[in-house]
Amino acid sequence: MAVRNGQGGRDGGRKSPGGSAVALSEAYDTALLDLDGVVYFAGGAAIPYAVEALGAARAGGMHLAYVTNNALRTPGEVAEHLTELGVPAEAGDVVTSAQAAARMVAEDVPAGSRVLVIGGEGLRVALRERGLVPVESADDDPVAVVQGYGGPGMPWARFAEAAYAVGRGVPWYASNTDLTIPGARGIGPGNGAAVEVVRIATGHRVEPKVAGKPLPPMHRETVLRTGAERPLVVGDRLDTDIEGAFNGGVDSLLVLTGVTDVAQLLAAVPEHRPTYVAADLRGLLTGQPEVVEDGAGGFVCGGWRASVSGGELVLDGTPGEGADALDGVRALCGASWSAADAPGGGVPDAGKALALLGV
């Protein structure tokens, strides 16, 4: 497995985005792609340029794997949706937190054990794949409880079943603990919110074992299923996708098509700093420019120079004259991250610099 590209120590993280002399689709053998906000919008429609970029990366020899914390749908259902969008995929190309959770449970209990399922069909299929028997009631003598996102129509009684079993001392597992999940109508409560319901009902006495991003079980499941040797994690969330890559010791590409905006990127803590930044998935098909520290407290990328003065980010460059806005973002990352990491430092104000870039 490839180690992170210039990521620095685990405690220190990156000081600026990295560069690549060749297209990322050539530098890495496998893209581990998040779905919502990366390949398609919350409503299910493809994000602009995603279909074409993924097709070109695949044609160039890059293996594409789709990695999601959402345990509701089966891999086959996800693959069918991708294929309908114009991104041909098979069930084996999809890795879900349900699969990671099922492996965790299977490693702890005997084959054929009964497991109480609080979630959707994705969890049931994953458990059966591991030789376990899904059951629906705390009175079915389960040896484990596994909880995953069950959709907005999940009955309240399902959380009660989980609480009954966990309260009796049955080991508890969760596919993921994302508090929110995007949908066509906006942001709704995710599986993490449902986990909190069970935690509160049981008096906060027990914590579940969690499988999903950014924790190692999901990364391990992904690498085992894909056989990736030089993986690149591609995502839109700092606290799941990018932190998961950091925890796994591999490189990452943040695309700005989902939940993370530039202001959040500039304020990222070390474990949330991506190796590369791109506007969208076309970033897979190109090299990445270097961010160079100029020795005078500035960071240079393309036609931009970023520095910090009086607690504010200062950006020098002329838009429209060879100074690509994304290069400005990369330079600002270098200046902001370095300032935040300095002894006694903090995140500088980015308002004026971002206004100059128009982002």
Side-chain angles (χ1 to χ4, degrees):
M1 188 193 315
V3 298
R4 57 174 61 89
N5 180 4
Q7 185 84 336
R10 181 184 170 94
D11 295 330
R14 299 197 60 84
K15 302 302 182 185
S16 65
S20 176
V22 300
L24 298 183
S25 58
E26 298 176 29
Y28 300 89
D29 68 342
T30 306
L32 307 181
L33 296 132
D34 186 42
L35 292 170
D36 288 330
V38 176
V39 179
Y40 48 68
F41 293 113
I47 287 174
Y49 311 112
V51 172
E52 298 83 355
L54 292 175
R58 185 190 311 106
M62 189 178 215
H63 178 209
L64 306 179
Y66 304 95
V67 184
T68 177
N69 260 4
N70 192 329
L72 177 61
R73 294 190 294 174
T74 67
E77 290 170 333
V78 175
E80 182 178 357
H81 178 205
L82 289 167
T83 301
E84 290 172 352
L85 293 178
V87 182
E90 299 179 356
D93 298 322
V94 179
V95 183
T96 73
S97 63
Q99 293 171 317
R103 186 185 294 272
M104 287 176 64
V105 176
E107 290 174 346
D108 291 347
V109 305
S113 294
R114 295 183 174 196
V115 178
L116 174 60
V117 176
I118 310 299
E121 187 63 16
L123 270 178
R124 293 176 177 84
V125 169
L127 289 167
R128 294 189 189 104
E129 182 183 68
R130 291 287 162 201
L132 300 170
V133 180
V135 298
E136 302 302 315
S137 171
D139 296 333
D140 290 332
D141 297 321
V143 300
V145 178
V146 62
Q147 185 172 1
Y149 183 66
M154 174 78 96
W156 194 256
R158 300 307 300 150
F159 304 138
E161 290 298 325
Y164 300 150
V166 173
R168 296 170 187 171
V170 178
W172 182 24
Y173 300 79
S175 64
N176 67 299
T177 52
D178 298 24
L179 290 174
T180 63
I181 187 168
R185 298 175 59 197
I187 302 297
N191 192 54
V195 166
E196 285 300 311
V197 170
V198 177
R199 195 198 317 269
I200 292 168
T202 54
H204 300 273
R205 296 191 306 272
V206 185
E207 294 287 334
K209 292 184 177 181
V210 182
K213 298 181 283 187
L215 297 175
M218 187 68 175
H219 179 80
R220 180 177 64 137
E221 187 72 20
T222 300
V223 172
L224 286 173
R225 287 180 177 268
T226 63
E229 296 182 357
R230 301 188 313 280
L232 178 69
V233 170
V234 184
D236 69 310
R237 296 184 69 121
L238 301 179
D239 60 347
T240 55
D241 306 314
I242 305 307
E243 184 177 342
F246 180 90
N247 290 337
V250 300
D251 290 349
S252 59
L253 169 66
L254 177 76
V255 291
L256 298 172
T257 48
V259 300
T260 300
D261 60 26
V262 174
Q264 293 168 326
L265 173 62
L266 297 181
V269 295
E271 61 268 27
H272 291 175
R273 296 171 185 170
T275 314
Y276 311 107
V277 181
D280 50 57
L281 284 176
R282 289 177 295 178
L284 287 173
L285 309 178
T286 65
Q288 295 284 312
E290 292 280 357
V291 178
V292 179
E293 191 169 2
D294 65 7
F299 290 79
V300 177
C301 186
W304 299 97
R305 179 183 185 273
S307 59
V308 177
S309 177
E312 291 187 340
L313 285 168
V314 178
L315 189 63
D316 298 310
T318 307
E321 295 184 6
D324 180 84
L326 199 55
D327 288 343
V329 170
R330 296 180 178 110
L332 286 170
C333 284
S336 184
W337 296 349
S338 294
D341 291 349
V347 177
D349 185 270
K352 292 180 182 178
L354 296 184
L356 178 62
L357 285 177
V359 296

